[in-house]
Amino acid sequence: MAPFFYNHTNPQDMWYVLIGIPGLEDLHIWISIPVYSMYIVAVVGNVFLIFLIMTEHSLHEPIYLFLSMLALADVLLSTATAPKMLAVFWFHSMDISFGSCVSQMFLIHFIFVTESAILLAMAFDRYVAICYPLRRTTILTSSVIGKIGIAAVVRSFIICFPFIFLVHRLMFCGRNVIPHSYCEHMDIARLACDDISVNIIYGLTVALLSTGLDIVFILMSYTMILCTVFQIPSWAARFKALNTCGSHICIILMFYAPAFFSFFAHRFGIETIPHHIHILVANFYVVVPPMLNPIIYGMKSKQIQDRVILLFSSISTCY
């Protein structure tokens, strides 16, 4: 599809062209099959998890309430990206308006920073549960959990809202082809004929001072958890304590590893890493962790397993 050229003084009138995965256009249909399958599993699994946690009083514990927040963020992240991605793969619906592209960009970064804050909150819950088990119910009350959730959303909004202004201030002079399946901040900025140093610096600052600090605090939490666990004389008790953190550690690794690979490849390794590898990782990142999160917690948490079995037993009894 030939690109359209517009006056750079009216970026709001521009339409971008998302080309999917550069170099793998002939494989788009085949790539769409796992993407679609994982997207459906992610939405169904996370919506079911939210329903289960909200309706089962026994699951109204801090870790599961934070998990429901994470599940909601996963649904929003995959839904903000996968439908347009599949439209590109299936129907060659590559056009997207400037406003829609910027909105998608904001949602992706907003949800990412929110999820990072939720993972930090879950790490804090693990720290309190293991280091101060008798005070957990008084420290992490329903009111405190609600305030943490609101704080995560507000912080993310304050951090990510400037991305909109940083993109709107740029002047565009014709280039409108985005070598990606969805819109990200640097993808849009690189199309400008302006100096994008401010965009790069702010993006790095956000990564280091928001998600970067979240990782530091998560590591601090687990350092203190390990110090406490290894003071327990019984090996069985140590294993049990560490096992309660297993699901959270798996989710942390799935969330941060591909995200930071994509982030730093976008800024520093764009010439050394094959572009189609970078885009493939970015595409699967928005569906793989959301799909696996409910599965991991379902496999690791006996409480969730018991409630699922009880729920389906009740349904089968009705029929």
Side-chain angles (χ1 to χ4, degrees):
M1 182 178 296
F4 299 96
F5 295 95
Y6 295 88
N7 192 319
H8 65 263
T9 58
N10 296 299
Q12 292 82 358
D13 296 330
M14 289 186 64
W15 282 75
Y16 293 123
V17 177
L18 296 168
I19 63 173
I21 304 175
L24 299 180
E25 288 85 355
D26 294 338
L27 299 177
H28 276 177
I29 291 295
W30 296 105
I31 295 170
S32 71
I33 296 173
V35 170
Y36 174 74
S37 302
M38 288 186 284
Y39 171 61
I40 295 300
V41 173
V43 171
V44 173
N46 282 291
V47 169
F48 177 73
L49 188 61
I50 294 169
F51 169 78
L52 193 67
I53 293 172
M54 292 297 102
T55 56
E56 295 294 338
H57 185 72
S58 62
L59 296 178
H60 288 183
E61 297 181 14
I63 190 62
Y64 296 116
L65 294 176
F66 288 133
L67 180 59
S68 67
M69 297 179 194
L70 187 68
L72 177 60
D74 282 338
V75 171
L76 295 175
L77 176 63
S78 56
T79 302
T81 52
K84 182 59 181 178
M85 189 192 308
L86 292 171
V88 172
F89 292 161
W90 288 344
F91 310 114
H92 302 287
S93 177
M94 301 177 178
D95 295 340
I96 184 170
S97 68
F98 178 83
S100 298
C101 197
V102 172
S103 298
Q104 187 183 56
M105 172 207 75
F106 170 77
L107 282 174
I108 291 169
H109 293 292
F110 170 76
I111 296 169
F112 176 81
V113 177
T114 302
E115 285 203 34
S116 181
I118 295 170
L119 289 174
L120 174 59
M122 294 172 78
F124 177 68
D125 170 74
R126 294 297 83 200
Y127 165 72
V128 173
I130 292 174
C131 299
Y132 302 98
L134 299 179
R135 297 176 55 193
R136 186 186 181 197
T137 55
T138 57
I139 294 175
L140 287 171
T141 62
S142 298
S143 174
V144 170
I145 293 169
K147 290 175 182 177
I148 291 174
I150 293 171
V153 171
V154 171
R155 184 194 77 151
S156 183
F157 182 83
I158 292 172
I159 288 173
C160 296
F161 194 68
F163 281 124
I164 297 175
F165 292 102
L166 288 175
V167 170
H168 272 273
R169 76 178 182 86
L170 297 174
M171 290 193 299
F172 298 88
C173 46
R175 291 181 297 174
N176 68 335
V177 176
I178 297 178
H180 209 310
S181 305
Y182 53 83
C183 299
E184 288 185 328
H185 172 231
M186 289 309 300
D187 287 318
I188 301 173
R190 288 186 191 280
L191 296 178
C193 46
D194 254 347
D195 180 12
I196 60 171
S197 300
V198 175
N199 299 69
I200 295 173
I201 292 170
Y202 187 76
L204 285 170
T205 303
V206 166
L208 294 175
L209 296 185
S210 60
T211 51
L213 280 178
D214 290 345
I215 292 174
V216 170
F217 289 132
I218 288 171
L219 290 175
M220 289 173 59
S221 296
Y222 275 99
T223 300
M224 290 185 284
I225 286 171
L226 288 174
C227 290
T228 301
V229 166
F230 285 109
Q231 290 177 0
I232 301 173
S234 169
W235 278 99
R238 290 181 188 179
F239 178 78
K240 184 178 179 181
L242 290 174
N243 192 49
T244 62
C245 302
S247 302
H248 185 236
I249 292 172
C250 289
I251 289 175
I252 286 173
L253 293 176
M254 286 192 309
F255 178 78
Y256 285 114
F260 275 90
F261 168 82
S262 179
F263 176 84
F264 286 110
H266 220 15
R267 286 159 175 80
F268 305 115
I270 199 97
E271 295 179 358
T272 58
I273 299 173
H275 198 54
H276 65 275
I277 298 297
H278 170 212
I279 303 303
L280 270 174
V281 171
N283 284 350
F284 283 105
Y285 169 72
V286 298
V287 289
V288 173
M291 176 194 69
L292 292 179
N293 286 351
I295 295 174
I296 289 173
Y297 260 94
M299 292 174 60
K300 283 283 189 178
S301 171
K302 191 174 185 304
Q303 282 181 279
I304 291 180
Q305 291 175 7
D306 292 342
R307 302 317 299 177
V308 170
I309 293 171
L310 183 61
L311 179 62
F312 280 100
S313 298
S314 302
I315 293 173
S316 61
T317 301
C318 293
Y319 288 96

